[in-house]
Amino acid sequence: MESAISPNMQQSRKSSFRKFLHKLNEQKYLQAMAIPGVIWMIIFNYIPMYGIIIAFKEYDITLGFNRSPWVGLANFKEFFADERFWLIIKNTVGISFFKLLVGFPLPILFAVLLNELVSVRFKRTVQTISYLPHFISWVVLGGILMNWLSETGLINIILTKLGILKQPIAFLAEPKYFWGITVVSEVWKELGWNAIIYLAAIAGIDPELYEAATVDGAGRFTKMFKITIPCISGTIAIMFILAVSGLMNSNFDQIFVLRNPLNADASDVIDIYVYRMGIEAFRFSYATAIGLFKSIIALMLLLTANTLTKKLTDKSLF
Amino acid sequence: MKIKSSVGDRVFNIVNVTLMIIICFLTLYPVWYIIVYSFNEGKDAMLGGIYFWPRKFTLDNYKTVFSNSDITTAFMVTVARTVITTTLHVFFTSMVAYAFLRKELMGRKIYMAMGTVTLFFGGGLIPYFLLIKSLGLYNTFWVYVIPGMFNFYNLIIFQAFFRELPIELEESAKIDGANDFVIFTRIILPLSTPVLATIALFVGVYNWNDYFMGVIFINNPKLQPIQTFLYKVIAQVTSNQMLAYAPGGIATRNVTSQSLKMATMVITTMPIVCVYPFLQKYFVKGLLIGAIKG
């Protein structure tokens, strides 16, 4: 092999290597600023990605990622045969689906209505107030919800006083209410925050469009539906792709706080199950396999949503 | 331009304003409720009927909470964690963002591609948990700081901002003999307050509100953040443990586990609620920079 390289090539290789060193020396400060970031990514992003191999192994703490024995697809097979498999899929997709169904259009509607407010001052006040819940932690919100939804809580008091309920209900102790609670509380928390992006998109619409429409005799609703909404459809498309790709994430922080053994049949979503199997039951390989299964579905959803939106609206993430 | 408002228009305005007022009420009320409850005598509050104003005003709940050393320690851990991690995150991530942006940087394309992958794919909870353990970060304060120093999504937001800065400034500084690090700290950073404030707010809120790291990576109560403390008190059915801390006996103080929870929630939430209106103009801008990049 050595002889295959002509002296000339060796020469040029040497000089290009020297050039490289020279360039490296020239940008040593720049590289010194960049490389710590690369190292951080290798450690905290790429080593865990590599660690996924334990999904195909029987992980043994004393042996580590590399030396633990291979078991092939056994962990996946076990998960698909798990008696809770369909329940978990149903909960994950179900909660996310209803969050998408309710939580996606409402911020758009809120932004459009907010934009129609005449008083600028009132508009800003409403905006500031609507962001507030975004800054409250799920722990605190979970605390409020547990208090309000308990048998002696505010919701039961109101509902019984209004005559809607005869007997108070411990809402968080019954699986059938769990999905509703997660959807409503998430909408409450993120409505204003999620509207920011649409508000900004609306603010960027050329006012001349509205003026021209007014001259043509368009009323308020015509302008809303024929100008405002079409003009922000690009933003809506992008946000939709992101929302769909998050379908397998049903908001861990929220569900982790609100779940309890009584509502487990409705609150066991993939992420919670990974936590229960991995962190609580120390079944590292099994939990990693479940997590990997989720990541693959999520990636497929992202690609599908991106392609579909591209076809339908000509807008896409990549 | 002035257009005569029709009847339909006025009806719409009234309906719209009413709707907005209802939304504001629904948003503020839960927060108001915990404040009111936290200032009411616990035993009295148990009787119900407290909606808009404390019936028997007292500071006992707060006195009890502040006299509990576990809560004050947790509060200090949260403050330290938030301040240190946010400062380091903003400095470190913006520095890497700036370096990654410079066209002459060798390996730039590879570095950026490496980061982009992390936006769409990760190792998941368990491999991450095992990594933290094997790095020896488990049960140390540093588990909040080092893994929280960098985030590629925030790097993109920084870059979008840096791109708009006039490049002549860098060039003239270079002629004056400044190296890249000096250019970054002396020229780029001072011009970037809006984006620094935005990211600081995002990272700050995350660190302030996060309870999960404290649940899985910490079992030393002295290192647990206040949200984790609160989580344990709230999520565990046996929440009376908080009362056990109450000095001077429960009977004399009229506090209940419920009223203590409310006071803790208020203390946990107030610092962030107090700062965010001031940073509002920044984060709206920052969110947009992020959105344009998609």
Side-chain angles (χ1 to χ4, degrees):
Chain A
M1 283 303 278
E2 277 299 307
S3 61
I5 301 167
S6 71
N8 221 349
M9 271 174 80
Q10 260 178 348
Q11 195 72 33
S12 77
R13 202 172 260 192
K14 215 177 205 175
S15 75
S16 75
F17 183 66
R18 205 170 283 160
K19 248 190 214 156
F20 170 79
L21 281 184
H22 180 74
K23 225 177 146 190
L24 197 65
N25 184 47
E26 219 171 37
Q27 52 177 247
K28 57 179 182 274
Y29 286 102
L30 208 53
Q31 290 289 351
M33 289 160 76
I35 287 172
V38 179
I39 294 171
W40 190 98
M41 286 196 286
I42 290 171
I43 297 175
F44 291 103
N45 293 133
Y46 282 87
I47 293 180
M49 274 188 228
Y50 176 71
I52 288 176
I53 59 164
I54 66 167
F56 306 96
K57 294 185 163 203
E58 196 47 66
Y59 183 73
D60 182 332
I61 289 192
T62 54
L63 296 174
F65 287 169
N66 285 322
R67 286 187 300 147
S68 296
W70 293 96
V71 293
L73 294 174
N75 290 311
F76 293 90
K77 283 184 190 146
E78 190 188 339
F79 179 49
F80 299 144
D82 193 313
E83 52 166 17
R84 290 185 86 75
F85 175 76
W86 287 110
L87 188 78
I88 286 157
I89 300 294
K90 188 180 104 186
N91 289 335
T92 311
V93 177
I95 289 175
S96 299
F97 176 77
F98 284 107
K99 278 184 180 172
L100 191 67
L101 195 72
V102 183
F104 188 75
L106 279 182
I108 303 172
L109 187 70
F110 179 64
V112 172
L113 289 178
L114 203 59
N115 187 53
E116 294 292 324
L117 289 178
V118 186
S119 156
V120 178
R121 224 197 195 163
F122 182 58
K123 187 177 153 184
R124 299 201 74 182
T125 313
V126 176
Q127 253 179 290
T128 309
I129 291 173
S130 72
Y131 301 151
L132 173 76
H134 176 77
F135 293 92
I136 296 175
S137 72
W138 273 114
V139 176
V140 169
L141 190 50
I144 299 175
L145 282 169
M146 279 176 210
N147 181 290
W148 282 17
L149 294 168
S150 73
E151 272 178 280
T152 53
L154 200 62
I155 306 288
N156 272 309
I157 293 174
I158 293 170
L159 290 179
T160 41
K161 270 194 181 155
L162 288 173
I164 298 170
L165 281 184
K166 286 199 180 70
Q167 285 293 316
I169 300 170
F171 289 98
L172 278 167
E174 296 204 31
K176 63 181 168 184
Y177 299 114
F178 191 80
W179 289 14
I181 293 167
T182 59
V183 173
V184 172
S185 59
E186 181 147 307
V187 168
W188 179 83
K189 194 170 188 293
E190 306 297 345
L191 178 76
W193 186 255
N194 289 341
I196 292 182
I197 222 124
Y198 302 112
L199 279 168
I202 292 172
I205 298 173
D206 187 351
E208 276 181 30
L209 284 175
Y210 289 106
E211 280 164 34
T214 317
V215 173
D216 287 347
R220 201 163 192 169
F221 287 98
T222 321
K223 279 187 266 182
M224 254 189 265
F225 289 106
K226 294 277 160 82
I227 300 176
T228 312
I229 294 184
C231 280
I232 61 171
S233 65
T235 312
I236 296 178
I238 300 280
M239 297 311 284
F240 188 74
I241 300 173
L242 292 173
V244 169
S245 64
L247 217 56
M248 299 302 272
N249 289 328
S250 14
N251 194 342
F252 185 89
D253 276 359
Q254 176 196 25
I255 296 175
F256 195 72
V257 174
L258 295 175
R259 78 181 176 128
N260 59 47
L262 296 171
N263 62 31
D265 280 350
S267 62
D268 261 0
V269 295
I270 294 183
D271 285 335
I272 296 288
Y273 203 58
V274 168
Y275 173 85
R276 280 183 37 191
M277 290 296 120
I279 309 287
E280 281 179 358
F282 304 112
R283 301 196 54 198
F284 296 126
S285 284
Y286 185 53
T288 306
I290 301 172
L292 177 60
F293 169 77
K294 185 199 114 167
S295 298
I296 291 167
I297 306 265
L299 210 57
M300 275 163 33
L301 280 173
L302 175 72
L303 296 175
T304 316
N306 194 51
T307 321
L308 271 181
T309 334
K310 202 184 218 163
K311 275 208 178 121
L312 293 173
T313 66
D314 223 31
K315 300 273 180 0
S316 69
L317 208 56
F318 44 80
Chain B
M1 54 172 206
K2 243 204 161 119
I3 307 263
K4 248 199 316 185
S5 59
S6 66
V7 179
D9 247 15
R10 259 179 288 162
V11 172
F12 175 81
N13 280 337
I14 293 168
V15 172
N16 197 11
V17 169
T18 315
L19 191 70
M20 291 300 160
I21 291 173
I22 293 173
I23 289 176
C24 288
F25 173 77
L26 291 177
T27 308
L28 289 177
Y29 186 66
V31 183
W32 182 244
Y33 180 85
I34 55 172
I35 295 174
V36 170
Y37 202 113
S38 71
F39 281 111
N40 200 72
E41 269 187 11
K43 282 192 174 154
D44 175 63
M46 294 258 284
L47 303 171
I50 291 171
Y51 302 115
F52 293 103
W53 211 247
R55 189 165 47 212
K56 286 188 176 171
F57 182 86
T58 175
L59 291 173
D60 278 356
N61 298 314
Y62 286 94
K63 281 182 194 150
T64 313
V65 169
F66 281 118
S67 64
N68 176 339
S69 69
D70 274 7
I71 298 181
T72 45
T73 310
F75 191 84
M76 291 320 288
V77 167
T78 307
V79 171
R81 164 192 180 173
T82 306
V83 171
I84 294 171
T85 309
T86 308
T87 313
L88 274 175
H89 182 106
V90 167
F91 184 78
F92 186 72
T93 306
S94 64
M95 180 184 81
V96 178
Y98 175 71
F100 279 16
L101 196 62
R102 290 275 298 271
K103 294 214 166 48
E104 68 267 35
L105 179 79
M106 282 189 294
R108 177 172 179 254
K109 278 197 175 148
I110 303 167
Y111 300 164
M112 285 300 287
M114 276 178 71
T116 310
V117 169
T118 66
L119 292 179
F120 299 104
F121 201 74
L125 180 68
I126 304 304
Y128 190 72
F129 175 80
L130 296 173
L131 171 78
I132 295 294
K133 275 206 146 177
S134 66
L135 287 175
L137 290 171
Y138 186 83
N139 226 0
T140 69
F141 181 77
W142 300 107
V143 77
Y144 303 125
V145 181
I146 298 169
M149 267 169 60
F150 184 78
N151 177 295
F152 195 74
Y153 186 75
N154 291 346
L155 176 139
I156 292 174
I157 297 180
F158 276 124
Q159 287 191 337
F161 188 90
F162 293 157
R163 246 185 234 119
E164 306 296 315
L165 295 176
I167 198 156
E168 301 81 38
L169 289 170
E170 290 172 45
E171 280 161 4
S172 69
K174 219 165 205 177
I175 293 165
D176 290 344
N179 68 43
D180 296 300
F181 189 71
V182 173
I183 294 174
F184 171 70
T185 50
R186 296 279 171 79
I187 296 173
I188 305 295
L189 279 188
L191 288 172
S192 308
T193 12
V195 73
L196 296 176
T198 306
I199 304 293
L201 178 74
F202 289 168
V203 178
V205 169
Y206 171 79
N207 276 285
W208 189 275
N209 280 347
D210 170 68
Y211 64 94
F212 188 61
M213 286 184 84
V215 173
I216 60 171
F217 294 131
I218 298 290
N219 60 30
N220 176 358
K222 291 238 169 329
L223 285 173
Q224 113 189 308
I226 189 150
Q227 303 277 359
T228 309
F229 177 85
L230 198 56
Y231 167 77
K232 287 181 177 163
V233 173
I234 285 168
Q236 282 159 12
V237 192
T238 53
S239 54
N240 279 339
Q241 67 174 103
M242 236 174 130
L243 272 179
Y245 294 118
I250 306 152
T252 55
R253 284 193 158 254
N254 283 320
V255 293
T256 61
S257 69
Q258 207 53 253
S259 65
L260 287 182
K261 270 188 218 168
M262 296 292 177
T264 315
M265 284 190 220
V266 173
I267 293 165
T268 311
T269 310
M270 275 312 128
I272 235 154
V273 170
C274 291
V275 292
Y276 99 91
F278 299 103
L279 293 163
Q280 189 178 331
K281 61 176 179 196
Y282 292 130
F283 70 66
V284 173
K285 252 187 231 152
L287 212 64
L288 294 182
I289 300 171
I292 291 158
K293 280 306 290 174

